[in-house]
């Protein structure tokens, strides 16, 4: 059921189609010159690991990749070589995350009831994490995987602690974040028009006052951000390959 139908109480058949938008348009400024999206890990590019569970999931109907212009040809070749048949489009991203996400949303199948937005640099997401978020979004229109925060978090100003939030109420939110198509398109467009700086897509929906349900994430669903993260990635690959 779409967002507007839920909002106004109209009945509709359960949502069945889901397009995945993989956002891989960043400049990797913290990777010390390493282009993480195509960085080889265990004999395959990082992006191949990211795409594989979306390709294999029966709940994902198509994949749209958003990337930099200079990577579009290489990524297209990767998809053909690896047999990622669900990748229907590789499109150019924008200057900000919001612009890139909107480019992906616009390129997705207009008939898709749900849109799942995932960081291209999260190569170890599992089908279970993906499908749990999709199923939750079918019920409540907005869902995202998360794990409880382990460390004690401090809110500080000018280097001085101002507050210690209750750790039991804090979660590290991951991707894919899954939404009714019309809800996320409205939210991202409004955020763009108002110049809001967003670090994830739940924030766009939260700005509209719409609730987002948290689903079970995974400790391995980490985002490759710095060269040190590649060491963790190698360890995960070795464990999965039984070495």
């Amino acid at each position: 059921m779409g967002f507007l139908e839920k909002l106004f109480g109209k009945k509709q058949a359960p949502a069945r189609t889901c397009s995945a938008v993989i956002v891989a348009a960043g400049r990797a400024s913290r990777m010390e010159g390493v282009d993480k999206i195509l960085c080889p890990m265990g004999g395959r590019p990082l992006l191949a690991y990211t795409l594989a569970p979306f390709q294999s999931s029966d709940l994902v109907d198509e994949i749209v990749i958003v990337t930099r212009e200079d990577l579009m040809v290489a990524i297209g070749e990767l998809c053909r070589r690896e047999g990622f048949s669900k990748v229907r489009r590789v499109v150019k991203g924008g200057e900000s995350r919001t612009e890139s996400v909107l480019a992906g949303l616009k390129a997705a199948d207009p008939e898709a009831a749900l849109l799942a937005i995932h960081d291209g640099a999260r190569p170890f997401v599992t089908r279970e994490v993906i499908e749990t978020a999709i199923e939750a979004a079918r019920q409540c229109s907005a869902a995202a995987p998360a794990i409880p925060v382990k460390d004690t978090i401090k809110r500080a100003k000018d280097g001085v602690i101002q507050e210690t939030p209750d750790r039991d109420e804090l979660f590290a939110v991951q991707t894919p974040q899954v939404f009714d198509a019309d809800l996320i398109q409205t939210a991202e467009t409004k955020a763009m028009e108002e110049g809001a700086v967003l670090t994830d897509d739940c924030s766009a929906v939260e700005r509209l006052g719409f609730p987002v349900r948290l689903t079970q994430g995974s400790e391995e669903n980490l985002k490759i951000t710095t060269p040190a993260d590649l060491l963790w990635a190698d360890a995960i690959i070795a464990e999965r390959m039984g070495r």
Side-chain angles (χ1 to χ4, degrees):
M1 183 179 293
F3 166 63
L4 295 180
E5 286 76 11
K6 287 183 178 179
L7 186 62
F8 294 107
K10 296 179 181 179
K11 293 184 179 180
Q12 181 176 308
R16 296 195 179 277
T17 59
C18 179
S19 294
V21 175
I22 310 299
V23 184
R27 293 288 171 183
S29 57
R30 288 175 283 181
M31 286 295 292
E32 299 177 4
V34 176
D35 199 326
K36 61 185 177 183
I37 291 300
L38 297 179
C39 179
M41 300 190 313
R44 302 175 75 192
L46 182 154
L47 185 60
Y49 292 93
T50 302
L51 295 173
F54 290 92
Q55 172 71 30
S56 65
S57 174
D58 292 336
L59 301 187
V60 176
D61 299 277
E62 71 162 357
I63 302 169
V64 175
I65 301 174
V66 186
T67 191
R68 305 196 313 261
E69 187 172 18
D70 60 304
L71 294 180
M72 292 177 70
V73 172
I75 287 177
E77 292 176 349
L78 180 157
C79 293
R80 286 189 291 273
R81 185 173 66 249
E82 294 273 351
F84 292 127
S85 59
K86 287 185 181 179
V87 176
R88 306 291 164 78
R89 297 171 187 82
V90 179
V91 300
K92 179 183 175 182
E95 293 300 316
S96 68
R97 176 185 170 80
T98 303
E99 287 180 275
S100 294
V101 169
L102 277 170
L105 299 182
K106 291 175 181 177
D109 182 352
E111 298 299 317
L114 297 174
L115 294 168
I117 305 169
H118 185 65
D119 297 322
R122 289 186 187 270
F124 301 120
V125 66
T126 63
R127 276 184 58 177
E128 182 179 8
V129 168
I130 294 168
E131 293 178 354
T132 299
I134 290 174
E135 292 289 6
R138 284 179 172 177
Q139 299 299 318
C140 64
S141 298
I147 56 174
V149 170
K150 294 180 179 180
D151 296 327
T152 297
I153 304 298
K154 303 289 186 180
R155 188 179 67 81
K157 183 177 181 180
D158 299 326
V160 178
I161 293 173
Q162 304 293 309
E163 180 186 6
T164 304
D166 182 355
R167 188 170 61 186
D168 291 340
E169 298 179 352
L170 299 177
F171 293 83
V173 179
Q174 303 173 342
T175 65
Q177 298 177 1
V178 189
F179 310 92
D180 273 354
D182 48 358
L183 170 59
I184 191 59
Q185 289 166 348
T186 297
E188 295 281 1
T189 299
K190 185 175 178 63
M192 182 73 178
E193 291 173 348
E194 296 179 353
V197 178
L198 307 178
T199 57
D200 80 338
D201 304 293
C202 289
S203 299
V205 172
E206 291 165 33
R207 293 179 76 251
L208 299 182
F210 200 88
V212 180
R213 179 180 297 177
L214 295 184
T215 59
Q216 183 61 53
S218 167
E219 295 283 354
E220 291 188 352
N221 189 17
L222 57 88
K223 186 176 181 180
I224 305 299
T225 304
T226 68
D229 294 331
L230 293 174
L231 299 176
W232 288 105
D234 287 339
I236 292 171
I237 291 171
E239 182 179 357
R240 289 187 175 185
M241 296 179 68
R243 295 203 302 265

